[in-house]
Every structure is written in C-alpha cells, then in structure tokens.
C-alpha cells in the first residue's frame, strides 16, 4: 500500500548473466489502473543481476503492472504484480504529495503542479554535490536551503571532466566519486552502480527537505575544473541512454531535467537526450537547456521535448536582465530564466555580494524569467571541501572559502526570500507588463495579480487608463527582509500606492486578498 505521488520500488532478479547489463539489456514496466490509464516506467540496472523499477502512482486505486525486456529472461520479462494506492495526501506538508509533480503551465511559461497549483522555482547551484558531498554535509546543506526558501538545486549528475584526477574519496582534497569508469575516454558504458546508490541517499535527503534536484547529465561547457568536460565528446547514443537511466532511477520523484548545460545548445548530445527524456518520462516533468554566456539561447526552440531555456550572464558582477527579456520574445513560447547569474564573491570578496543577488533575482523575474530564479555561491558550486583545498581556478573561487562558509553568504537569504513573499499567489502564466503602472518592471496575470519591483521604492503610480486592470488589494514588501511595509485596498480612481522611497520595494496587487484581512508578514 502506498499513496498517490509517492514513489514505490519493485525489484527484479535476472536469471541470466550479461556481459554489460547497463548497455545490453533494456527493461521497462507498464502500470495500469482500473480506469485504463497506463504509465510506462523504464527500469534500471543496479548491479549484479538486479534491476529496479520505480513508480509514483498519479492517482489512488488499484494498479497492476507487467514488465517487458529486450531479452527473454523470465526474471525480467513478463513479471506481474499489483499495487493498492490511497488517494493523494491532501493534508501532507509535502507539496508534491498534495499537488503532484511539476509540469509546465497551460501557456508554457511557468511551473504548475499536476493539479494546476502554481509553483515558482527558487534554485540554488550546488553542481558538484552528487560526487563530492557526504551524507552529513548534505543534511546541513538541505536544512539551510529549505529554511531560506529554496525548493530546487542545480546538480551535475556526475563529475564531467575527462582530465580530472584525484582520489576516490569524498573527504580527501581533490577527491571525487566516479559514475562511469570510461568517462576519461569520452564514453558512458561502464556504469558503477555503487556511485548511484550513494547518490540515492543524497537525493532522498534533498527531497525530504522539499528541494527538487535539477539533474544535468554531463556538462557541455566548463565542467568542474575546465578539464575537458565530456558532454560534447561522448557519442550521442550513449548520452541518450544515460538520460534514460536518470529518468528510470530518479524520474518517479520530483525532478527537472537540464538536458544541456553551458554549451551552445546545438551539441548533438542535447537533442538525443531530450528525445529520450520525452519518450520515457511519463510524468512530463520540465526539460530544458542552460547556455554559456555568449550564446543565442534559442536552440531547439520548436522541439516538442523542450520546455524551458535558461541563459547565464557570466561572472563579472553585472546585471543583464535584457537577456531574459530577449529570450521571452522567442517563439514558440517556452519558459525562461537566468540559470546562472554571477556567483556571489566569485574571484574576490565583494563581487555580486549580498543584496546584489536579491536585485538580480527580482530584476530577472520581472523581465520575463517567470519560471523562477537561480542563485549561486563561489566555493559552494565546486563543493570545495575546506577554505584551503587546492586544485581550483582562483577566478571561480571565493578566497579562503569552502562550501560550508559559502553556505552563509548573505545573498542566499535575499534570493530565498522571494519564495516566502510570492507563496500562494496565482503565478501561473504571469507575463511581463510595462503598461499598467509607472514602474520599470512588472508582471501581470490579468484580473488576478500584478507584481512589480522598484529598486529604490517610492510611490507606485498607476496609469489612469489601466486603473481597472490593477487589482485593488495591495501589499508593499521590503524584499530584503520580507516585512510588509504597507497594505491597503484602493478605491476607483485612487492611482497611488504610497511608499516613502529610498529602499527596495516589491508591490503586489492581488484580487484574492480581502481588504480587511491583509495577512501577516512573510
């Protein structure tokens, strides 16, 4: 017995022996409920003669299942079973058990849960966590990020640099765990199940804290140390097969698939991986591409597997929300975000520090990055073990900083605060709107919501011709603290939301707020 949207696992035992089970055998299972709904899930090899199938039932009731295999092995093929499922847990503190996994909104611009509840990605960048972090460290990390409001984290699923060398020890300087024995040769054939069993435990800790893994298969760009990342070198069929493996192992839990990263987007591996994810991810979780700074950010724009495009704006400490605005205009419509602003304190203390990160996040959001916001800290993304660990490029490090020190950088508080301020709002398919008020940047869901960020605060003036389109109830927030500094309910013709000015402010007008129940500070 399980509950809807909760992962169940089924273990299969092969009777035959295979030279390379990862490459030579394909196994999948069809799960069917009494209404005839079928969910197909790929299985994954987990060492020796063991395969596993993971399945999250999208609804309650009785589900039956039957396996299929590319080989006539009675331990893998035509194995059957059934599963009794309770309806989704409407009172669960876990939003994914209450509402289902993330998918794209009807207009394709935002995240929603399976039941239509709006969501906003607020992501951290801990790229190296899967192959550097220990279980004790991830407990600390996940608790910190969840408390600050983060609900996602960008991860390299494996150490991608073909020329990186170091001990296979997560606690040793320059050490890392290895997912494929043949990655240094530009291949993904010799998979190590023990690596993924360890990552299973880290993965579960993140999810327990409400943090969704944004899984990147193999980097196309810089990688970890700039030592020949394998993502643009491995054969496309091997890249696609690995994407299927990730879907099999981690796709029956909340996930985002970052099929390409830090490249041009045109690398053939990306399309191969995107097609494989589209075929095998029965839940339709978001799939997209993250680009290098000097890129057009529009590869595969019309591909059916593509849900989002993420730019990056480099590492110099400059605000460039225009890149997000440009991506918004690309058609057909896809969700967009700045997936990699300047890392806090990268290269030197003070660069992109503190409130710089909050301003960057609100600016990108209101420019059209409505899928969400992403933050990164130097020293954390590499998972530098301690402030003196050698072997990393100084340009990308915060001086005298390891992952634990970087966890406390002030900017993470400001970015995480966005989740608290926007919680529960009708965000689905909000669009940039420059016409409703005399403000530099804003977002609108017609008839429901208006959000604008003012870098220096001051009164918000509504255009007389659009008075009717701006919801009457409003709140004014200090985005640095989440404090509500003003609240009210406008009358017709009242065209000013008051604020003294001199500090950052977020103005939110929301039809659902009753005038006599302004709520409490976030």
């Amino acid at each position: 017995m399980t509950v809807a949207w909760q992962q169940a696992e089924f273990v299969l035992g092969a009777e035959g022996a295979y030279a390379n089970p990862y490459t030579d055998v394909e196994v999948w299972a069809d799960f069917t409920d009494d209404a005839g709904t079928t969910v197909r899930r790929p299985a994954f090899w987990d060492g020796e003669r063991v395969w596993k199938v993971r399945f999250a039932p999208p609804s309650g009731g009785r589900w039956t299942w039957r396996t299929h295999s590319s080989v006539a092995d009675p331990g893998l093929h035509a194995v059957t079973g059934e599963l009794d499922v309770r309806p989704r847990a409407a009172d669960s503190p876990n939003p994914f058990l209450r509402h289902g996994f993330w998918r794209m909104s009807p207009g394709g611009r935002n995240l929603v849960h399976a039941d239509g509840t709006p969501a906003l990605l607020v992501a951290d960048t801990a790229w190296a966590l899967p192959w550097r972090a220990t279980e004790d460290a991830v407990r600390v990390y996940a608790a910190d990020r969840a408390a600050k409001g983060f609900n996602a984290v960008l991860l390299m699923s494996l150490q991608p640099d073909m020329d990186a060398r170091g001990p296979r020890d997560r606690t040793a300087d320059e050490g890392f765990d290895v997912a494929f024995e043949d990655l240094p040769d530009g291949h993904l054939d010799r998979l190590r199940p023990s690596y993924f069993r360890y990552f299973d435990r880290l993965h579960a800790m993140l999810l327990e804290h409400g943090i969704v893994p944004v899984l990147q298969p193999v980097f196309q760009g810089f990688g970890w140390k700039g030592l020949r990342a394998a993502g643009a070198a491995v054969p496309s069929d091997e890249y696609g097969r690995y994407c299927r493996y990730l879907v099999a192992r981690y796709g029956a839990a909340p996930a985002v698939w970052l099929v390409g990263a830090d490249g041009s987007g045109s690398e053939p591996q990306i399309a191969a991986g995107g097609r494989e994810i589209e075929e095998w991810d029965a839940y339709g979780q978001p799939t997209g591409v993250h680009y290098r700074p000097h890129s057009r950010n529009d590869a595969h724009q019309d591909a059916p597997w593509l849900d989002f495009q993420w730019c990056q704006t480099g590492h110099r400490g400059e605000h460039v929300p225009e890149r997000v605005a440009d991506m918004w205009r690309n058609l057909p419509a896809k969700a967009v975000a700045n997936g990699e602003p300047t890392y806090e304190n990268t290269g030197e203390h003070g660069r992109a520090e503190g409130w710089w990160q909050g301003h960057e996040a609100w600016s990108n959001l209101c420019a059209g990055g409505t899928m969400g916001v992403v933050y990164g800290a130097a020293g954390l993304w590499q998972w530098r073990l301690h402030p003196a660990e050698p072997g990393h490029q100084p340009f990308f490090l915060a001086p005298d900083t390891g992952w634990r020190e970087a966890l406390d950088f002030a900017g993470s508080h400001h970015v995480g605060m966005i989740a608290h301020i926007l919680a529960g709002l009708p965000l689905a398919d909000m669009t940039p709107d420059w016409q409703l008020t005399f403000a530099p940047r804003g977002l609108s869901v017609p008839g429901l919501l208006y959000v604008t960020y003012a870098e220096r605060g001051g009164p918000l003036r509504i255009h007389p011709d659009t008075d009717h389109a701006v919801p009457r109830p409003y709140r004014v927030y200090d985005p640095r603290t989440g404090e509500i500094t003003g609240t009210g309910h406008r009358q017709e013709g009242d065209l000013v939301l008051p604020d003294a000015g001199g500090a950052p402010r977020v103005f939110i007008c929301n039809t659902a707020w009753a005038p006599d129940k302004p709520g409490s500070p976030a």
Side-chain angles (χ1 to χ4, degrees):
M1 174 69 76
T2 187
V3 66
W5 294 109
Q6 187 174 62
Q7 179 177 279
E9 182 177 276
F10 306 89
V11 180
L12 306 172
E15 294 188 7
Y18 304 96
N20 188 341
Y22 171 69
T23 61
D24 298 347
V25 181
E26 295 183 2
V27 181
W28 64 96
D30 289 329
F31 293 82
T32 305
D33 70 1
D34 289 337
T37 301
T38 296
V39 175
R40 175 164 289 182
R41 289 288 300 145
F44 61 91
W45 175 61
D46 199 35
E48 298 180 343
R49 298 190 182 189
V50 175
W51 272 259
K52 294 180 179 178
V53 182
R54 292 173 175 170
F55 168 62
S59 61
R62 177 178 174 270
W63 289 78
T64 59
W65 55 273
R66 181 182 180 89
T67 66
H68 308 268
S69 175
S70 60
V71 297
D73 188 311
L76 302 176
H77 184 71
V79 181
T80 61
E82 63 180 53
L83 181 67
D84 290 324
V85 181
R86 298 192 304 272
R88 63 187 176 90
D91 59 348
S92 172
N94 184 328
F96 297 98
L97 293 182
R98 289 200 312 274
H99 305 297
F101 298 166
W102 282 342
R103 59 183 60 178
M104 303 313 299
S105 61
R109 294 295 198 178
N110 302 83
L111 294 176
V112 296
H113 289 270
D115 68 355
T117 300
L120 183 78
L121 178 137
V122 181
D124 189 29
T125 311
W127 290 119
L129 178 154
W131 31 276
R132 295 220 83 197
T134 64
E135 293 178 65
D136 288 343
V138 172
R139 287 189 188 95
V140 173
Y141 170 82
D144 177 272
R145 282 341 196 203
K148 288 175 178 171
F150 290 89
N151 61 11
V153 58
L154 277 60
L155 302 173
M156 298 182 191
S157 67
L158 49 73
Q159 194 290 113
D161 289 1
M162 292 187 286
D163 292 340
R165 300 292 183 267
R168 293 191 185 184
D169 182 349
R170 294 168 181 264
T171 66
D173 282 4
E174 301 190 66
F176 57 90
D177 203 354
V178 173
F180 286 87
E181 295 286 4
D182 52 349
L183 183 139
D185 301 321
H187 287 281
L188 300 175
D189 287 332
R190 296 169 57 200
L191 180 138
R192 297 183 64 241
S194 61
Y195 171 88
F196 292 95
R197 291 191 206 109
Y198 196 101
F199 182 47
D200 282 354
R201 299 195 291 275
L202 307 185
H203 183 269
M205 291 176 192
L206 295 171
L207 291 174
E208 286 168 8
H209 287 82
I211 298 175
V212 176
V214 180
L215 291 171
Q216 205 294 311
V218 192
F219 242 54
Q220 280 77 36
F222 180 81
W224 183 34
K225 295 184 176 182
L227 299 174
R228 288 203 307 148
V234 300
S236 294
D237 61 334
E238 296 178 18
Y239 193 92
R241 180 173 57 219
Y242 179 49
C243 288
R244 175 179 171 175
Y245 185 88
L246 291 175
V247 171
R249 190 149 199 148
Y250 301 111
V256 175
W257 310 114
L258 193 59
V259 68
D262 204 32
S264 68
S266 62
E267 296 84 356
Q269 294 85 355
I270 293 175
R275 290 191 296 266
E276 201 75 13
I277 291 170
E278 181 188 28
E279 179 177 356
W280 288 102
D281 178 17
Y283 303 107
Q285 301 200 76
T287 303
V289 178
H290 167 54
Y291 294 87
R292 63 194 181 194
H294 49 291
S295 185
R296 287 178 51 88
N297 310 324
D298 62 356
H300 312 291
Q301 188 76 22
D302 60 353
W305 54 262
L306 184 83
D307 297 312
F308 64 85
Q309 303 275 39
W310 288 356
C311 68
Q312 66 168 298
T313 44
H315 310 287
R316 291 162 46 97
E318 296 154 335
H319 300 294
V320 196
E322 294 83 2
R323 293 196 185 180
V324 174
D326 285 347
M327 292 165 64
W328 175 275
R329 301 182 184 100
N330 293 336
L331 295 174
K334 306 290 181 178
V336 301
N338 185 351
E340 200 172 1
T342 301
Y343 291 102
E344 188 166 9
N345 292 314
T346 189
E348 61 184 10
H349 285 296
R351 180 176 290 155
E353 184 179 33
W355 176 244
W356 187 100
Q357 296 289 339
H359 173 78
E360 171 78 351
W362 283 105
S363 298
N364 282 307
L365 181 71
C366 290
T370 57
M371 186 174 178
V373 295
V374 180
Y375 164 80
L380 177 62
W381 75 260
Q382 303 98 328
W383 209 269
R384 192 184 193 191
L385 297 187
H386 57 82
E389 185 190 18
H392 302 278
Q393 290 195 16
F395 178 77
F396 292 111
L397 285 177
D400 302 317
T401 301
W403 74 268
R404 184 59 190 86
E405 292 77 19
L407 199 62
D408 295 330
F409 287 169
S412 62
H413 165 82
H414 297 306
V415 178
M417 187 59 64
I418 292 177
H420 297 296
I421 292 174
L422 299 182
L425 294 177
L427 305 175
D429 289 319
M430 56 185 176
T431 62
D433 195 315
W434 319 107
Q435 302 180 52
L436 298 182
T437 68
F438 294 92
R441 46 183 80 88
L443 298 165
S444 174
V445 180
L448 294 177
L449 181 69
Y450 178 69
V451 178
T452 189
Y453 164 63
E455 181 179 356
R456 297 177 182 83
L460 178 66
R461 302 184 184 279
I462 299 167
H463 195 283
D465 294 342
T466 59
D467 180 22
H468 65 284
V470 179
R472 304 294 185 198
Y474 69 87
R475 299 177 192 173
V476 185
Y477 289 84
D478 183 337
R480 301 166 299 178
T481 64
E483 176 190 3
I484 296 176
T485 62
T487 184
H489 188 277
R490 294 188 307 111
Q491 302 301 313
E492 184 177 356
D494 181 0
L495 302 177
V496 178
L497 276 58
D499 180 73
R505 289 292 182 262
V506 171
F507 298 83
I508 302 178
C509 303
N510 178 20
T511 301
W513 287 336
D516 59 340
K517 295 181 180 179
S520 57

